[in-house]
Structures are given as structure tokens and as C-alpha cells.
């Protein structure tokens, strides 16, 4: 299955259609594009799926001065 970068998929289909197909708001698509998140879109037996590639762990835990998360 070919994975298409979100920005390319949106360029072909528009934000409203992409959001509806993935099941998120158009605002979520806009924010993902603006923050350059590494999201790929693909077709899984007729259903449009989006996956994000993220660093693991995403970020170190922030603790307060008592060492609590």
C-alpha cells in the first residue's frame, strides 16, 4: 500500500474532504500541516487511514521541583 504524505493528499483532495475521510476536523488537518507533522495517508481496503511517524519517546518527562510528573 502506497503511503502518501498528508500535505500531498490534501493538495489533491482538499482539507475538508481529507478531514472527513480520516475522521477529524478540518482544523486538525490545518494544524497538522502548519506544524509540519510527519503524517502519511493510505487506503486500507477502501478506508482512508492516517499514520504519524513520531520520535520515541516523544519528549522527556517534565517534573516539578518535588520530582513529580
Amino acid at each position: 500500500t502506497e503511503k502518501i504524505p498528508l500535505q500531498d493528499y490534501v493538495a489533491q483532495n482538499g482539507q475538508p474532504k481529507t478531514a472527513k475521510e480520516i475522521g477529524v476536523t478540518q482544523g486538525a488537518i490545518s494544524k497538522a500541516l502548519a506544524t509540519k507533522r510527519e503524517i502519511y495517508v493510505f487506503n486500507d481496503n477502501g478506508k482512508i487511514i492516517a499514520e504519524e511517524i513520531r520520535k520515541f519517546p516523544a519528549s522527556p518527562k517534565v517534573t516539578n521541583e518535588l520530582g513529580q510528573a
Side-chain angles (χ1 to χ4, degrees):
T1 302
E2 180 187 7
K3 292 185 178 183
I4 304 166
L6 178 64
Q7 60 270 22
D8 294 348
Y9 192 86
V10 169
Q12 295 171 8
N13 297 284
Q15 288 187 20
K17 181 180 178 187
T18 300
K20 184 176 181 181
E21 290 177 333
I22 294 173
V24 299
T25 65
Q26 192 237 321
I29 297 293
S30 179
K31 186 173 181 181
L33 293 172
T35 57
K36 301 185 190 289
R37 290 169 62 182
E38 193 174 353
I39 299 172
Y40 294 89
V41 179
F42 62 97
N43 187 319
D44 183 22
N45 295 319
K47 181 172 177 156
I48 302 300
I49 306 289
E51 291 183 337
E52 181 172 14
I53 308 296
R54 292 182 60 182
K55 180 180 165 189
F56 179 80
S59 62
K61 264 190 172 175
V62 177
T63 59
N64 63 21
E65 59 247 6
L66 298 176
Q68 299 169 327

